[in-house]
Amino acid sequence: MWTKPESLLIHSMAEFASLTLPVLEAADVRTVCEIGSEHGGNTRVLAEWLAPRGGELTCIDPAPAPEFLSWLRERPGVRHLRQPSLKALDTIDAADAWFVDGDHNWYTVYRELVEIRSRCCEQGAPFLVFVHDIGWPCARRDMYYAPERIPPQYRHPHSWDRGVTLGNAGTIDGGFRGMGQFACALHEGGPRNGTLTAVEDFAAGEPEAFLFASIPAVFGLGVLFERSHPHAQAIATLLAPFHDNPLLEKLEQSRLASYLEVIAWRDREAAQQATREEQAA
């Protein structure tokens, strides 16, 4: 039986629960804001963790999946703002921790971090942010769910149809692609391009203020927190074994290469099937 490539792909921040939840515990977190709920995988993890602690969870997603909305109806204690993040952030208080996994492009992630920093400074709250997709393919290449929301001066030329592959800074017919769900920038690298670039540019604005850990697995997780965070040492101790871990990085590269080969196999099979149908017609 043919298995869809998508069913083989682990991609949720929920995969990091064995790391993120101990960090939340060490940081004495009681309020969390999640940007980008999608199917609700990580949302469920956070809600279950916060519930016995009397915590609060706010989710921001303008277009979540139906299964998330179905789950949400049974969780009245979880607040959902159905707005783009940069609008919703203007209306909420600071949280103890933030999970950023929405639109994966420089402008959105950079502005999200600026707004989160502003909320925290205004209300005297510590800054602790988990940013997903800081690895390939989004580290140095913008992806857009809604390009029209990105100001033209920050929006790269992009395609809804072409895909990307390892070792190629351009785009290809095939490869990892959105299949109409998202568009990708036509070129990798350069200024104001990609989520990791956004994190680096944000942190460069206060070069002595932050500590940053990069976990090179499941498309990459970045953890950005203040040096002055009251639990900075405990957070750093938990993250240190995973930061830029060469074994994790090698496993991630192998996983990505294997997944890209599965996509290529699927594409070849689809092309052959189309040829057979054309010849039979």
Side-chain angles (χ1 to χ4, degrees):
M1 179 180 294
W2 172 254
T3 301
K4 290 184 178 180
E6 294 78 9
S7 66
L8 302 174
L9 184 66
I10 59 170
H11 66 281
S12 172
M13 286 188 85
E15 305 296 341
F16 294 100
S18 62
L19 179 58
T20 58
L21 296 185
V23 170
L24 297 183
E25 187 71 51
D28 195 27
V29 166
R30 292 297 178 268
T31 58
V32 175
C33 180
E34 177 190 53
I35 298 173
S37 299
E38 195 179 24
H39 300 286
N42 193 54
T43 314
R44 291 175 173 83
V45 170
L46 295 173
E48 293 299 324
W49 185 85
L50 286 165
R53 295 166 174 78
E56 299 176 358
L57 175 61
T58 298
C59 303
I60 300 172
D61 197 314
E67 53 264 43
F68 168 80
L69 295 175
S70 177
W71 172 83
L72 188 67
R73 286 192 287 270
E74 300 175 3
R75 300 300 296 251
V78 177
R79 181 188 182 195
H80 174 221
L81 301 178
R82 198 164 186 169
Q83 296 176 296
S85 60
L86 298 181
K87 289 186 177 180
L89 286 171
D90 286 337
T91 69
I92 63 175
D93 293 331
D96 296 331
W98 306 75
F99 285 74
V100 174
D101 192 18
D103 209 354
H104 306 314
N105 57 75
W106 184 92
Y107 177 80
T108 303
V109 173
Y110 182 84
R111 292 305 311 170
E112 286 169 343
L113 292 172
V114 168
E115 291 301 318
I116 290 169
R117 181 63 166 161
S118 178
R119 296 286 87 71
C120 290
C121 289
E122 288 170 0
Q123 299 171 31
F127 181 95
L128 172 60
V129 184
F130 300 84
V131 185
H132 197 207
D133 289 276
I134 65 159
W136 190 91
C138 297
R140 307 298 182 188
R141 186 195 298 267
D142 276 2
M143 301 286 185
Y144 306 111
Y145 287 111
E148 69 279 3
R149 290 204 292 259
I150 310 301
Q153 65 269 35
Y154 299 107
R155 188 172 62 230
H156 294 274
H158 54 275
S159 171
W160 291 94
D161 302 314
R162 293 179 65 77
V164 299
T165 194
L166 293 168
N168 187 331
T171 59
I172 64 171
D173 289 325
F176 185 83
R177 56 199 188 273
M179 305 291 286
Q181 295 185 355
F182 62 80
C184 65
L186 295 180
H187 191 79
E188 180 182 49
R192 297 176 175 174
N193 197 8
T195 54
L196 182 57
T197 306
V199 174
E200 292 171 344
D201 289 350
F202 167 78
E206 298 180 73
E208 302 302 319
F210 303 108
L211 295 171
F212 180 65
S214 174
I215 295 89
V218 194
F219 295 116
L221 176 69
V223 187
L224 188 67
F225 57 104
E226 291 174 296
R227 292 179 182 272
S228 61
H229 192 290
H231 302 286
Q233 184 59 58
I235 296 170
T237 298
L238 285 166
L239 295 173
F242 302 92
H243 172 61
D244 285 345
N245 185 289
L247 176 58
L248 288 180
E249 184 173 6
K250 189 170 186 176
L251 291 171
E252 177 70 354
Q253 289 300 305
S254 177
R255 182 183 80 98
L256 292 170
S258 297
Y259 185 67
L260 287 164
E261 182 54 39
V262 170
I263 293 176
W265 182 22
R266 186 268 312 271
D267 289 343
R268 288 194 296 269
E269 177 63 24
Q272 291 168 4
Q273 179 63 28
T275 298
R276 288 192 292 268
E277 291 176 355
E278 182 178 329
Q279 291 173 344

